[in-house]
Short mmCIF file of all heavy atoms in Angstrom, two decimals:
data_model
loop_
_atom_site.label_atom_id
_atom_site.label_comp_id
_atom_site.label_asym_id
_atom_site.label_seq_id
_atom_site.Cartn_x
_atom_site.Cartn_y
_atom_site.Cartn_z
N MET A 1 -26.94 113.75 -16.22
CA MET A 1 -27.08 112.42 -16.81
C MET A 1 -25.71 111.80 -17.08
O MET A 1 -25.40 110.73 -16.61
CB MET A 1 -27.89 112.52 -18.10
CG MET A 1 -28.30 111.19 -18.65
SD MET A 1 -29.43 111.44 -20.05
CE MET A 1 -29.19 109.93 -20.92
N GLY A 2 -24.83 112.50 -17.80
CA GLY A 2 -23.46 112.04 -17.97
C GLY A 2 -23.27 111.02 -19.07
O GLY A 2 -24.07 110.92 -19.99
N TYR A 3 -22.19 110.26 -18.91
CA TYR A 3 -21.79 109.31 -19.96
C TYR A 3 -22.59 108.02 -19.88
O TYR A 3 -22.88 107.53 -18.79
CB TYR A 3 -20.32 108.96 -19.80
CG TYR A 3 -19.37 110.07 -20.09
CD1 TYR A 3 -18.70 110.71 -19.05
CD2 TYR A 3 -19.11 110.48 -21.38
CE1 TYR A 3 -17.80 111.75 -19.30
CE2 TYR A 3 -18.22 111.50 -21.65
CZ TYR A 3 -17.57 112.13 -20.60
OH TYR A 3 -16.69 113.16 -20.84
N THR A 4 -22.90 107.47 -21.03
CA THR A 4 -23.38 106.10 -21.12
C THR A 4 -22.56 105.40 -22.19
O THR A 4 -22.06 106.03 -23.13
CB THR A 4 -24.87 106.01 -21.49
OG1 THR A 4 -25.10 106.75 -22.69
CG2 THR A 4 -25.75 106.53 -20.38
N VAL A 5 -22.39 104.10 -22.03
CA VAL A 5 -21.61 103.28 -22.96
C VAL A 5 -22.52 102.22 -23.53
O VAL A 5 -23.30 101.59 -22.79
CB VAL A 5 -20.43 102.62 -22.22
CG1 VAL A 5 -19.69 101.66 -23.14
CG2 VAL A 5 -19.48 103.67 -21.69
N ARG A 6 -22.43 102.04 -24.82
CA ARG A 6 -23.20 100.97 -25.46
C ARG A 6 -22.27 100.16 -26.34
O ARG A 6 -21.40 100.71 -27.02
CB ARG A 6 -24.32 101.54 -26.33
CG ARG A 6 -25.40 102.25 -25.54
CD ARG A 6 -26.51 102.73 -26.43
NE ARG A 6 -27.16 103.88 -25.82
CZ ARG A 6 -27.77 104.85 -26.48
NH1 ARG A 6 -27.83 104.81 -27.80
NH2 ARG A 6 -28.32 105.85 -25.84
N ILE A 7 -22.47 98.86 -26.33
CA ILE A 7 -21.76 97.98 -27.24
C ILE A 7 -22.79 97.27 -28.11
O ILE A 7 -23.69 96.60 -27.60
CB ILE A 7 -20.90 96.95 -26.48
CG1 ILE A 7 -19.78 97.68 -25.73
CG2 ILE A 7 -20.31 95.93 -27.45
CD1 ILE A 7 -18.88 96.77 -24.92
N ASP A 8 -22.66 97.48 -29.41
CA ASP A 8 -23.54 96.80 -30.36
C ASP A 8 -22.93 95.43 -30.64
O ASP A 8 -21.92 95.31 -31.34
CB ASP A 8 -23.63 97.62 -31.64
CG ASP A 8 -24.62 97.02 -32.63
OD1 ASP A 8 -24.89 95.80 -32.55
OD2 ASP A 8 -25.09 97.77 -33.51
N LYS A 9 -23.54 94.40 -30.07
CA LYS A 9 -22.97 93.05 -30.21
C LYS A 9 -23.04 92.53 -31.65
O LYS A 9 -22.34 91.60 -32.00
CB LYS A 9 -23.65 92.09 -29.23
CG LYS A 9 -23.29 92.41 -27.78
CD LYS A 9 -23.71 91.34 -26.83
CE LYS A 9 -23.28 91.71 -25.41
NZ LYS A 9 -23.53 90.63 -24.45
N ASN A 10 -23.87 93.16 -32.45
CA ASN A 10 -23.90 92.77 -33.87
C ASN A 10 -22.66 93.27 -34.60
O ASN A 10 -22.31 92.74 -35.66
CB ASN A 10 -25.15 93.33 -34.55
CG ASN A 10 -26.39 92.65 -34.06
OD1 ASN A 10 -26.44 91.43 -33.93
ND2 ASN A 10 -27.41 93.43 -33.75
N LEU A 11 -22.00 94.28 -34.04
CA LEU A 11 -20.80 94.83 -34.67
C LEU A 11 -19.51 94.35 -34.00
O LEU A 11 -18.44 94.40 -34.61
CB LEU A 11 -20.83 96.37 -34.61
CG LEU A 11 -21.91 97.05 -35.43
CD1 LEU A 11 -21.84 98.57 -35.22
CD2 LEU A 11 -21.76 96.72 -36.90
N CYS A 12 -19.58 93.92 -32.73
CA CYS A 12 -18.38 93.49 -32.02
C CYS A 12 -17.73 92.32 -32.75
O CYS A 12 -18.39 91.33 -33.09
CB CYS A 12 -18.72 93.07 -30.59
SG CYS A 12 -17.30 92.44 -29.67
N MET A 13 -16.40 92.46 -33.04
CA MET A 13 -15.67 91.41 -33.74
C MET A 13 -14.73 90.66 -32.79
O MET A 13 -13.80 89.99 -33.22
CB MET A 13 -14.90 91.99 -34.92
CG MET A 13 -14.01 93.15 -34.55
SD MET A 13 -13.38 94.06 -35.98
CE MET A 13 -12.12 92.94 -36.56
N SER A 14 -14.99 90.81 -31.49
CA SER A 14 -14.26 90.05 -30.46
C SER A 14 -12.76 90.30 -30.51
O SER A 14 -11.98 89.39 -30.23
CB SER A 14 -14.56 88.55 -30.58
OG SER A 14 -15.94 88.31 -30.54
N SER A 15 -12.37 91.51 -30.86
CA SER A 15 -10.94 91.81 -30.92
C SER A 15 -10.30 91.74 -29.53
O SER A 15 -9.10 91.48 -29.42
CB SER A 15 -10.72 93.21 -31.50
OG SER A 15 -11.09 94.21 -30.56
N GLY A 16 -11.08 92.01 -28.50
CA GLY A 16 -10.58 91.98 -27.14
C GLY A 16 -9.89 93.25 -26.70
O GLY A 16 -9.39 93.34 -25.58
N ARG A 17 -9.83 94.22 -27.56
CA ARG A 17 -9.12 95.45 -27.23
C ARG A 17 -9.67 96.12 -25.98
O ARG A 17 -8.93 96.49 -25.07
CB ARG A 17 -9.19 96.40 -28.43
CG ARG A 17 -8.44 97.68 -28.26
CD ARG A 17 -6.94 97.45 -28.33
NE ARG A 17 -6.23 98.63 -27.94
CZ ARG A 17 -5.67 99.49 -28.80
NH1 ARG A 17 -5.75 99.25 -30.08
NH2 ARG A 17 -5.03 100.53 -28.36
N CYS A 18 -10.97 96.30 -25.91
CA CYS A 18 -11.56 96.98 -24.75
C CYS A 18 -11.37 96.16 -23.48
O CYS A 18 -11.11 96.71 -22.41
CB CYS A 18 -13.03 97.29 -25.00
SG CYS A 18 -14.09 95.86 -25.30
N VAL A 19 -11.48 94.84 -23.61
CA VAL A 19 -11.35 93.96 -22.45
C VAL A 19 -9.91 93.99 -21.92
O VAL A 19 -9.68 93.99 -20.71
CB VAL A 19 -11.77 92.53 -22.83
CG1 VAL A 19 -11.60 91.57 -21.66
CG2 VAL A 19 -13.22 92.52 -23.31
N LEU A 20 -8.94 94.03 -22.85
CA LEU A 20 -7.54 94.07 -22.44
C LEU A 20 -7.17 95.43 -21.85
O LEU A 20 -6.48 95.50 -20.84
CB LEU A 20 -6.63 93.79 -23.65
CG LEU A 20 -6.52 92.34 -24.07
CD1 LEU A 20 -5.78 92.24 -25.40
CD2 LEU A 20 -5.79 91.54 -23.01
N ASP A 21 -7.63 96.51 -22.49
CA ASP A 21 -7.23 97.85 -22.06
C ASP A 21 -7.94 98.27 -20.78
O ASP A 21 -7.36 98.98 -19.96
CB ASP A 21 -7.54 98.87 -23.16
CG ASP A 21 -6.58 98.76 -24.34
OD1 ASP A 21 -5.61 97.99 -24.24
OD2 ASP A 21 -6.83 99.44 -25.35
N GLU A 22 -9.19 97.88 -20.62
CA GLU A 22 -9.99 98.30 -19.46
C GLU A 22 -10.73 97.10 -18.86
O GLU A 22 -11.96 97.00 -18.93
CB GLU A 22 -10.99 99.40 -19.86
CG GLU A 22 -10.36 100.66 -20.41
CD GLU A 22 -9.59 101.47 -19.36
OE1 GLU A 22 -9.60 101.09 -18.17
OE2 GLU A 22 -8.99 102.48 -19.74
N PRO A 23 -9.98 96.17 -18.26
CA PRO A 23 -10.61 94.93 -17.77
C PRO A 23 -11.61 95.13 -16.64
O PRO A 23 -12.42 94.24 -16.39
CB PRO A 23 -9.41 94.09 -17.32
CG PRO A 23 -8.32 95.07 -17.08
CD PRO A 23 -8.53 96.19 -18.04
N ASP A 24 -11.55 96.27 -15.96
CA ASP A 24 -12.54 96.52 -14.91
C ASP A 24 -13.85 97.05 -15.47
O ASP A 24 -14.84 97.14 -14.74
CB ASP A 24 -11.99 97.53 -13.89
CG ASP A 24 -10.83 96.95 -13.11
OD1 ASP A 24 -10.76 95.71 -12.97
OD2 ASP A 24 -9.98 97.74 -12.64
N ALA A 25 -13.84 97.42 -16.74
CA ALA A 25 -15.02 98.05 -17.33
C ALA A 25 -15.70 97.20 -18.40
O ALA A 25 -16.88 97.39 -18.68
CB ALA A 25 -14.65 99.40 -17.92
N PHE A 26 -14.91 96.28 -19.01
CA PHE A 26 -15.47 95.47 -20.09
C PHE A 26 -15.06 94.01 -19.91
O PHE A 26 -14.00 93.71 -19.37
CB PHE A 26 -14.96 95.97 -21.46
CG PHE A 26 -15.29 97.40 -21.73
CD1 PHE A 26 -14.32 98.39 -21.57
CD2 PHE A 26 -16.57 97.79 -22.10
CE1 PHE A 26 -14.62 99.72 -21.78
CE2 PHE A 26 -16.89 99.12 -22.31
CZ PHE A 26 -15.91 100.09 -22.15
N ARG A 27 -15.92 93.13 -20.38
CA ARG A 27 -15.63 91.70 -20.31
C ARG A 27 -16.28 91.03 -21.52
O ARG A 27 -17.09 91.63 -22.23
CB ARG A 27 -16.20 91.10 -19.02
CG ARG A 27 -17.72 91.14 -19.00
CD ARG A 27 -18.30 90.61 -17.72
NE ARG A 27 -19.75 90.80 -17.70
CZ ARG A 27 -20.48 90.83 -16.60
NH1 ARG A 27 -19.90 90.69 -15.42
NH2 ARG A 27 -21.79 91.02 -16.68
N PHE A 28 -15.93 89.75 -21.71
CA PHE A 28 -16.57 88.97 -22.75
C PHE A 28 -17.76 88.20 -22.16
O PHE A 28 -17.68 87.69 -21.04
CB PHE A 28 -15.60 87.95 -23.36
CG PHE A 28 -14.66 88.54 -24.37
CD1 PHE A 28 -13.30 88.29 -24.30
CD2 PHE A 28 -15.13 89.32 -25.42
CE1 PHE A 28 -12.43 88.82 -25.24
CE2 PHE A 28 -14.27 89.85 -26.37
CZ PHE A 28 -12.92 89.60 -26.28
N ASP A 29 -18.82 88.11 -22.94
CA ASP A 29 -19.93 87.25 -22.52
C ASP A 29 -19.64 85.81 -23.00
O ASP A 29 -18.54 85.52 -23.49
CB ASP A 29 -21.28 87.78 -23.05
CG ASP A 29 -21.39 87.71 -24.57
OD1 ASP A 29 -20.55 87.06 -25.22
OD2 ASP A 29 -22.34 88.31 -25.11
N ASP A 30 -20.57 84.92 -22.84
CA ASP A 30 -20.34 83.51 -23.18
C ASP A 30 -20.08 83.29 -24.66
O ASP A 30 -19.53 82.26 -25.06
CB ASP A 30 -21.54 82.66 -22.73
CG ASP A 30 -21.63 82.58 -21.22
OD1 ASP A 30 -20.62 82.86 -20.53
OD2 ASP A 30 -22.71 82.23 -20.70
N ASP A 31 -20.49 84.26 -25.48
CA ASP A 31 -20.25 84.17 -26.93
C ASP A 31 -19.00 84.93 -27.36
O ASP A 31 -18.78 85.14 -28.55
CB ASP A 31 -21.47 84.71 -27.70
CG ASP A 31 -22.70 83.87 -27.47
OD1 ASP A 31 -22.58 82.62 -27.43
OD2 ASP A 31 -23.80 84.44 -27.29
N GLU A 32 -18.21 85.36 -26.35
CA GLU A 32 -16.99 86.15 -26.60
C GLU A 32 -17.28 87.45 -27.33
O GLU A 32 -16.50 87.90 -28.18
CB GLU A 32 -15.92 85.32 -27.31
CG GLU A 32 -15.45 84.16 -26.45
CD GLU A 32 -14.13 83.57 -26.88
OE1 GLU A 32 -13.52 84.08 -27.82
OE2 GLU A 32 -13.72 82.59 -26.25
N LEU A 33 -18.40 88.03 -26.98
CA LEU A 33 -18.73 89.38 -27.43
C LEU A 33 -18.62 90.29 -26.21
O LEU A 33 -18.98 89.90 -25.10
CB LEU A 33 -20.15 89.43 -28.01
CG LEU A 33 -20.37 88.54 -29.24
CD1 LEU A 33 -21.84 88.52 -29.61
CD2 LEU A 33 -19.51 89.00 -30.41
N ALA A 34 -18.10 91.49 -26.43
CA ALA A 34 -17.83 92.38 -25.30
C ALA A 34 -19.12 92.96 -24.74
O ALA A 34 -20.11 93.17 -25.47
CB ALA A 34 -16.91 93.51 -25.75
N GLU A 35 -19.07 93.22 -23.44
CA GLU A 35 -20.17 93.90 -22.76
C GLU A 35 -19.59 94.72 -21.62
O GLU A 35 -18.55 94.37 -21.06
CB GLU A 35 -21.22 92.91 -22.25
CG GLU A 35 -20.68 91.94 -21.22
CD GLU A 35 -21.69 90.88 -20.83
OE1 GLU A 35 -22.71 90.73 -21.51
OE2 GLU A 35 -21.44 90.18 -19.83
N PRO A 36 -20.25 95.84 -21.29
CA PRO A 36 -19.78 96.63 -20.16
C PRO A 36 -20.07 95.93 -18.84
O PRO A 36 -21.06 95.19 -18.73
CB PRO A 36 -20.58 97.94 -20.27
CG PRO A 36 -21.52 97.79 -21.39
CD PRO A 36 -21.39 96.42 -21.96
N THR A 37 -19.21 96.14 -17.87
CA THR A 37 -19.47 95.64 -16.52
C THR A 37 -19.98 96.81 -15.68
O THR A 37 -20.00 97.96 -16.14
CB THR A 37 -18.18 95.10 -15.87
OG1 THR A 37 -17.33 96.21 -15.58
CG2 THR A 37 -17.47 94.13 -16.79
N THR A 38 -20.32 96.53 -14.44
CA THR A 38 -20.76 97.62 -13.56
C THR A 38 -19.62 98.60 -13.33
O THR A 38 -19.85 99.77 -13.03
CB THR A 38 -21.26 97.08 -12.21
OG1 THR A 38 -20.23 96.26 -11.65
CG2 THR A 38 -22.53 96.28 -12.39
N GLY A 39 -18.37 98.13 -13.50
CA GLY A 39 -17.20 98.99 -13.30
C GLY A 39 -17.08 100.09 -14.33
O GLY A 39 -16.31 101.03 -14.14
N VAL A 40 -17.84 100.00 -15.41
CA VAL A 40 -17.73 101.01 -16.46
C VAL A 40 -18.12 102.40 -15.94
O VAL A 40 -17.64 103.42 -16.42
CB VAL A 40 -18.58 100.60 -17.69
CG1 VAL A 40 -20.05 100.88 -17.49
CG2 VAL A 40 -18.05 101.26 -18.95
N THR A 41 -18.96 102.43 -14.92
CA THR A 41 -19.39 103.73 -14.37
C THR A 41 -18.25 104.43 -13.63
O THR A 41 -18.33 105.63 -13.38
CB THR A 41 -20.58 103.55 -13.42
OG1 THR A 41 -20.18 102.67 -12.36
CG2 THR A 41 -21.78 102.98 -14.14
N GLU A 42 -17.21 103.69 -13.26
CA GLU A 42 -16.08 104.27 -12.54
C GLU A 42 -15.05 104.88 -13.47
O GLU A 42 -14.14 105.59 -13.03
CB GLU A 42 -15.38 103.19 -11.70
CG GLU A 42 -16.29 102.41 -10.78
CD GLU A 42 -16.83 103.27 -9.66
OE1 GLU A 42 -16.08 104.14 -9.18
OE2 GLU A 42 -18.00 103.10 -9.30
N LEU A 43 -15.16 104.60 -14.77
CA LEU A 43 -14.13 105.02 -15.72
C LEU A 43 -14.32 106.48 -16.11
O LEU A 43 -15.43 106.88 -16.47
CB LEU A 43 -14.22 104.12 -16.96
CG LEU A 43 -12.93 103.67 -17.61
CD1 LEU A 43 -12.05 102.94 -16.61
CD2 LEU A 43 -13.23 102.79 -18.80
N PRO A 44 -13.25 107.28 -16.05
CA PRO A 44 -13.37 108.68 -16.48
C PRO A 44 -13.72 108.77 -17.96
O PRO A 44 -13.39 107.88 -18.75
CB PRO A 44 -11.98 109.26 -16.23
CG PRO A 44 -11.23 108.26 -15.44
CD PRO A 44 -11.91 106.94 -15.60
N GLY A 45 -14.35 109.86 -18.33
CA GLY A 45 -14.79 110.05 -19.70
C GLY A 45 -13.68 109.91 -20.72
O GLY A 45 -13.87 109.35 -21.80
N GLU A 46 -12.49 110.42 -20.39
CA GLU A 46 -11.40 110.35 -21.37
C GLU A 46 -11.01 108.90 -21.67
O GLU A 46 -10.64 108.57 -22.80
CB GLU A 46 -10.19 111.15 -20.90
CG GLU A 46 -9.55 110.62 -19.66
CD GLU A 46 -8.90 111.73 -18.82
OE1 GLU A 46 -9.52 112.78 -18.61
OE2 GLU A 46 -7.78 111.53 -18.38
N ARG A 47 -11.08 108.04 -20.66
CA ARG A 47 -10.74 106.63 -20.89
C ARG A 47 -11.87 105.91 -21.61
O ARG A 47 -11.63 104.99 -22.40
CB ARG A 47 -10.37 105.95 -19.57
CG ARG A 47 -8.96 106.35 -19.15
CD ARG A 47 -8.60 105.94 -17.77
NE ARG A 47 -8.62 104.50 -17.55
CZ ARG A 47 -8.40 103.94 -16.35
NH1 ARG A 47 -8.13 104.73 -15.32
NH2 ARG A 47 -8.45 102.64 -16.21
N LEU A 48 -13.09 106.30 -21.35
CA LEU A 48 -14.21 105.75 -22.13
C LEU A 48 -14.06 106.11 -23.60
O LEU A 48 -14.23 105.27 -24.49
CB LEU A 48 -15.54 106.28 -21.61
CG LEU A 48 -15.98 105.81 -20.24
CD1 LEU A 48 -17.25 106.55 -19.82
CD2 LEU A 48 -16.21 104.31 -20.24
N ASN A 49 -13.71 107.36 -23.84
CA ASN A 49 -13.54 107.81 -25.21
C ASN A 49 -12.38 107.10 -25.88
O ASN A 49 -12.45 106.75 -27.06
CB ASN A 49 -13.31 109.32 -25.24
CG ASN A 49 -14.62 110.07 -25.28
OD1 ASN A 49 -15.47 109.78 -26.09
ND2 ASN A 49 -14.77 111.02 -24.39
N ALA A 50 -11.30 106.90 -25.14
CA ALA A 50 -10.14 106.19 -25.70
C ALA A 50 -10.54 104.77 -26.08
O ALA A 50 -10.14 104.26 -27.14
CB ALA A 50 -8.99 106.19 -24.71
N ALA A 51 -11.32 104.12 -25.23
CA ALA A 51 -11.76 102.75 -25.53
C ALA A 51 -12.63 102.73 -26.78
O ALA A 51 -12.50 101.85 -27.64
CB ALA A 51 -12.52 102.17 -24.33
N ALA A 52 -13.50 103.71 -26.90
CA ALA A 52 -14.37 103.76 -28.08
C ALA A 52 -13.56 104.03 -29.35
O ALA A 52 -13.80 103.41 -30.39
CB ALA A 52 -15.44 104.84 -27.89
N ARG A 53 -12.58 104.93 -29.25
CA ARG A 53 -11.76 105.24 -30.43
C ARG A 53 -10.93 104.03 -30.84
O ARG A 53 -10.63 103.84 -32.02
CB ARG A 53 -10.86 106.44 -30.16
CG ARG A 53 -11.57 107.77 -30.21
CD ARG A 53 -10.59 108.92 -30.32
NE ARG A 53 -9.61 108.92 -29.23
CZ ARG A 53 -9.79 109.52 -28.06
NH1 ARG A 53 -10.90 110.20 -27.84
NH2 ARG A 53 -8.88 109.47 -27.13
N ALA A 54 -10.53 103.21 -29.86
CA ALA A 54 -9.68 102.07 -30.17
C ALA A 54 -10.47 100.87 -30.68
O ALA A 54 -9.88 99.92 -31.21
CB ALA A 54 -8.89 101.66 -28.92
N CYS A 55 -11.77 100.89 -30.53
CA CYS A 55 -12.58 99.75 -30.98
C CYS A 55 -12.52 99.67 -32.51
O CYS A 55 -12.92 100.61 -33.20
CB CYS A 55 -14.02 99.92 -30.51
SG CYS A 55 -15.14 98.65 -31.15
N PRO A 56 -12.03 98.56 -33.06
CA PRO A 56 -11.82 98.49 -34.50
C PRO A 56 -13.09 98.40 -35.33
O PRO A 56 -13.05 98.64 -36.54
CB PRO A 56 -10.95 97.23 -34.67
CG PRO A 56 -11.28 96.39 -33.49
CD PRO A 56 -11.56 97.35 -32.36
N SER A 57 -14.19 98.07 -34.71
CA SER A 57 -15.42 97.86 -35.48
C SER A 57 -16.47 98.95 -35.26
O SER A 57 -17.50 98.94 -35.92
CB SER A 57 -16.04 96.51 -35.11
OG SER A 57 -16.51 96.55 -33.78
N GLY A 58 -16.20 99.86 -34.32
CA GLY A 58 -17.20 100.88 -34.02
C GLY A 58 -18.36 100.36 -33.17
O GLY A 58 -19.38 101.03 -33.03
N ALA A 59 -18.18 99.17 -32.59
CA ALA A 59 -19.24 98.59 -31.77
C ALA A 59 -19.40 99.32 -30.44
O ALA A 59 -20.50 99.43 -29.91
CB ALA A 59 -18.95 97.11 -31.51
N LEU A 60 -18.28 99.81 -29.92
CA LEU A 60 -18.27 100.46 -28.60
C LEU A 60 -18.42 101.96 -28.82
O LEU A 60 -17.58 102.59 -29.47
CB LEU A 60 -16.94 100.13 -27.91
CG LEU A 60 -16.83 100.32 -26.40
CD1 LEU A 60 -15.52 99.76 -25.93
CD2 LEU A 60 -17.02 101.72 -25.94
N ARG A 61 -19.45 102.52 -28.27
CA ARG A 61 -19.70 103.95 -28.44
C ARG A 61 -20.04 104.57 -27.10
O ARG A 61 -20.62 103.93 -26.23
CB ARG A 61 -20.82 104.20 -29.44
CG ARG A 61 -20.50 103.66 -30.82
CD ARG A 61 -21.62 103.91 -31.77
NE ARG A 61 -21.57 105.28 -32.29
CZ ARG A 61 -22.61 105.89 -32.85
NH1 ARG A 61 -23.76 105.29 -32.93
NH2 ARG A 61 -22.48 107.11 -33.31
N VAL A 62 -19.67 105.83 -26.96
CA VAL A 62 -19.91 106.58 -25.74
C VAL A 62 -20.87 107.72 -26.07
O VAL A 62 -20.72 108.39 -27.09
CB VAL A 62 -18.60 107.13 -25.16
CG1 VAL A 62 -18.86 107.93 -23.90
CG2 VAL A 62 -17.63 105.99 -24.88
N PHE A 63 -21.82 107.93 -25.19
CA PHE A 63 -22.82 108.98 -25.36
C PHE A 63 -22.77 109.91 -24.16
O PHE A 63 -22.59 109.47 -23.03
CB PHE A 63 -24.22 108.37 -25.44
CG PHE A 63 -24.42 107.48 -26.65
CD1 PHE A 63 -23.88 106.20 -26.68
CD2 PHE A 63 -25.11 107.92 -27.75
CE1 PHE A 63 -24.05 105.38 -27.79
CE2 PHE A 63 -25.29 107.13 -28.87
CZ PHE A 63 -24.75 105.85 -28.89
N MET A 64 -22.89 111.18 -24.44
CA MET A 64 -22.99 112.19 -23.37
C MET A 64 -24.38 112.79 -23.45
O MET A 64 -24.74 113.39 -24.47
CB MET A 64 -21.92 113.26 -23.55
CG MET A 64 -22.10 114.45 -22.63
SD MET A 64 -22.05 114.02 -20.90
CE MET A 64 -20.45 114.63 -20.44
N ASP A 65 -25.14 112.60 -22.39
CA ASP A 65 -26.52 113.09 -22.36
C ASP A 65 -27.29 112.64 -23.61
O ASP A 65 -28.04 113.41 -24.21
CB ASP A 65 -26.56 114.60 -22.22
CG ASP A 65 -25.99 115.04 -20.88
OD1 ASP A 65 -26.05 114.26 -19.91
OD2 ASP A 65 -25.49 116.17 -20.79
N GLY A 66 -27.03 111.40 -24.01
CA GLY A 66 -27.77 110.80 -25.13
C GLY A 66 -27.19 111.09 -26.50
O GLY A 66 -27.65 110.51 -27.49
N GLN A 67 -26.18 111.95 -26.57
CA GLN A 67 -25.58 112.29 -27.87
C GLN A 67 -24.30 111.49 -28.07
O GLN A 67 -23.44 111.48 -27.18
CB GLN A 67 -25.26 113.79 -27.95
CG GLN A 67 -26.48 114.68 -27.85
CD GLN A 67 -27.48 114.40 -28.96
OE1 GLN A 67 -27.11 114.31 -30.13
NE2 GLN A 67 -28.74 114.23 -28.59
N PRO A 68 -24.13 110.85 -29.23
CA PRO A 68 -22.90 110.07 -29.47
C PRO A 68 -21.67 110.97 -29.57
O PRO A 68 -21.73 112.03 -30.19
CB PRO A 68 -23.19 109.36 -30.80
CG PRO A 68 -24.23 110.18 -31.46
CD PRO A 68 -25.04 110.83 -30.38
N LEU A 69 -20.58 110.54 -28.96
CA LEU A 69 -19.34 111.29 -29.03
C LEU A 69 -18.47 110.82 -30.19
O LEU A 69 -17.50 111.49 -30.53
CB LEU A 69 -18.56 111.17 -27.71
CG LEU A 69 -19.27 111.74 -26.49
CD1 LEU A 69 -18.38 111.64 -25.27
CD2 LEU A 69 -19.67 113.19 -26.73
N GLN A 70 -18.79 109.67 -30.74
CA GLN A 70 -18.03 109.18 -31.89
C GLN A 70 -18.95 109.15 -33.10
O GLN A 70 -20.00 108.51 -33.05
CB GLN A 70 -17.51 107.74 -31.66
CG GLN A 70 -16.50 107.61 -30.54
CD GLN A 70 -17.16 107.61 -29.18
OE1 GLN A 70 -18.24 107.09 -29.01
NE2 GLN A 70 -16.51 108.23 -28.22
N PRO A 71 -18.59 109.87 -34.15
CA PRO A 71 -19.41 109.83 -35.35
C PRO A 71 -19.38 108.44 -35.96
O PRO A 71 -18.43 107.69 -35.75
CB PRO A 71 -18.74 110.84 -36.28
CG PRO A 71 -17.35 110.97 -35.78
CD PRO A 71 -17.38 110.67 -34.31
N ARG A 72 -20.38 108.13 -36.68
CA ARG A 72 -20.40 106.81 -37.34
C ARG A 72 -20.48 107.01 -38.83
O ARG A 72 -21.01 107.95 -39.32
CB ARG A 72 -21.58 106.01 -36.82
CG ARG A 72 -21.72 104.67 -37.50
CD ARG A 72 -22.59 103.73 -36.73
NE ARG A 72 -21.81 103.12 -35.64
CZ ARG A 72 -22.40 102.41 -34.67
NH1 ARG A 72 -23.69 102.28 -34.63
NH2 ARG A 72 -21.67 101.85 -33.72
S1 SF4 B 101 -12.87 96.71 -28.84
FE1 SF4 B 101 -14.82 96.68 -29.98
S2 SF4 B 101 -14.66 94.91 -31.36
FE2 SF4 B 101 -13.08 94.66 -29.77
S3 SF4 B 101 -14.05 93.40 -28.18
FE3 SF4 B 101 -14.38 95.55 -27.60
S4 SF4 B 101 -16.39 96.11 -28.49
FE4 SF4 B 101 -15.71 94.21 -29.49
#
């Protein structure tokens, strides 16, 4: 199954960190809230984890086989 990425748009504060650091994997929607792109599947797990750790609001989380890798 592998990694899945979820962004809780209710928590995203539009910092732009994920979009700046990994522009092939994340983008802003029309409301300037982050969302994953299809490119997110190409990103290695360590970079997904780095993006999640750098998210200032905890909106971006990575799951391995359904289990969250970042505690909340
Ligand atoms: S790093 Fe987090 S808060 Fe910033 S844009 Fe991405 S999901 Fe939103």
Side-chain angles (χ1 to χ4, degrees):
M1 190 173 156
Y3 292 107
T4 54
V5 175
R6 294 183 207 152
I7 294 179
D8 185 337
K9 292 191 178 187
N10 291 315
L11 294 178
C12 177
M13 53 192 284
S14 306
S15 73
R17 183 73 190 259
C18 61
V19 178
L20 282 171
D21 288 352
E22 299 291 356
D24 293 334
F26 302 102
R27 66 183 174 202
F28 280 131
D29 67 12
D30 291 342
D31 295 320
E32 296 198 3
L33 298 172
E35 62 186 13
T37 71
T38 54
V40 79
T41 59
E42 307 292 324
L43 220 57
E46 64 210 46
R47 282 170 62 184
L48 291 174
N49 274 309
R53 283 196 304 271
C55 174
S57 68
L60 198 172
R61 299 180 82 199
V62 179
F63 296 76
M64 170 60 106
D65 295 333
Q67 297 300 313
L69 297 183
Q70 295 78 36
R72 177 162 280 169

